[in-house]
């Protein structure tokens, strides 16, 4: 009888622990999304020949990228919501050339990387924000079009500009 009681007690405790694990393993609540209407100040591209073009700092996602005139417009999302986040667009002033087979001419290109500093923001909201970058200081002299490869964005961007008054 004593062995039966011990067996029942161990079984009951085992089931209780198993049930507790099931209760404690509930999924996390839905992460809130903060969509800001504010546009961050227009950034200038920081040209640094020693820049490491693969280092993006804290994580972020580029949801949309387009060029309007001399301005690169990025729609970003990143985790946080409690601290001020800082961004810096870098270029190592390395140009490359592509031969456009269709039109049979040479296109100039360069690479840009957005570096994110979240200032140790531990909040778990998803922040969506628009960032604007002035591209005029990376124009390739003697050209009027620049192909841009943006780290974290699959498509290339075409920056068309006039070289008058520059």
């Amino acid at each position: 009888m004593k062995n039966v009681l011990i067996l029942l007690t161990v079984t009951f405790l085992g089931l209780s622990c198993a049930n507790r694990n099931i209760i404690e393993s509930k999924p996390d609540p839905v992460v809130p999304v903060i969509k800001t209407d504010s546009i961050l100040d227009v950034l200038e591209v920081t040209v640094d020949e020693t820049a490491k073009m693969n280092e993006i700092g804290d994580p972020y996602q580029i949801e949309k990228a387009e060029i309007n005139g001399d301005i690169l417009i990025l729609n970003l999302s990143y985790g946080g919501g409690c601290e001020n986040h800082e961004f810096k667009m870098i270029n190592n002033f390395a140009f490359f050339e592509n031969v456009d087979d269709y039109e049979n001419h040479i296109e100039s290109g360069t690479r840009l990387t957005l570096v994110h500093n979240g200032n140790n923001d531990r909040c778990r909201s998803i922040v969506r924000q628009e960032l604007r970058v002035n591209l005029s200081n990376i124009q390739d002299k003697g050209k009027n079009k620049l192909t841009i490869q943006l780290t974290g964005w699959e498509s290339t961007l075409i920056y068309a500009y006039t070289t008058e008054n520059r």
Side-chain angles (χ1 to χ4, degrees):
M1 179 75 174
K2 186 176 184 181
N3 288 341
V4 172
L5 274 176
I6 293 173
L7 182 60
L8 286 173
T9 303
V10 170
T11 304
F12 178 75
L13 287 175
L15 290 175
S16 296
C17 291
N19 288 339
R20 186 177 332 144
N21 289 338
I22 291 170
I23 291 169
E24 291 176 356
S25 66
K26 288 182 181 177
D28 289 337
V30 175
V31 176
V33 175
I34 300 172
K35 184 172 183 177
T36 63
D37 292 329
S38 67
I39 298 171
L40 298 173
D41 291 336
V42 176
L43 298 177
E44 297 292 326
V45 177
T46 301
V47 178
D48 179 358
E49 293 179 9
T50 63
K52 296 178 181 172
M53 301 301 290
N54 289 326
E55 295 182 11
I56 65 165
D58 292 323
Y60 61 87
Q61 179 73 37
I62 301 172
E63 296 179 352
K64 183 178 177 185
E66 65 183 5
I67 297 175
N68 186 354
D70 289 333
I71 305 297
L72 169 62
I73 303 168
L74 300 174
N75 291 337
L76 304 174
S77 64
Y78 51 88
C82 295
E83 301 295 333
N84 185 31
H85 290 241
E86 299 167 355
F87 293 92
K88 181 167 115 175
M89 185 66 78
I90 60 170
N91 174 266
N92 62 3
F93 218 61
F95 289 95
F96 58 86
E97 291 186 343
N98 287 334
V99 176
D100 182 350
D101 292 330
Y102 180 72
E103 295 181 26
N104 202 20
H105 69 277
I106 296 175
E107 290 184 350
S108 182
T110 194
R111 185 169 172 196
L112 296 176
T113 298
L114 183 65
V115 180
H116 174 211
N117 178 0
N119 289 310
N120 297 312
D121 193 342
R122 299 292 179 222
C123 289
R124 298 179 61 177
S125 295
I126 296 174
V127 180
R128 291 201 164 102
Q129 196 155 23
E130 183 176 287
L131 176 71
R132 295 175 182 226
V133 182
N134 185 342
L135 300 174
S136 61
N137 69 330
I138 63 164
Q139 294 177 358
D140 191 1
K141 306 300 181 216
K143 307 276 184 178
N144 62 2
K145 184 166 74 169
L146 187 62
T147 301
I148 295 176
Q149 293 176 343
L150 178 61
T151 302
W153 187 250
E154 284 188 29
S155 304
T156 57
L157 299 164
I158 304 298
Y159 171 36
Y161 49 90
T162 57
T163 55
E164 299 171 12
N165 302 323
R166 294 203 193 247

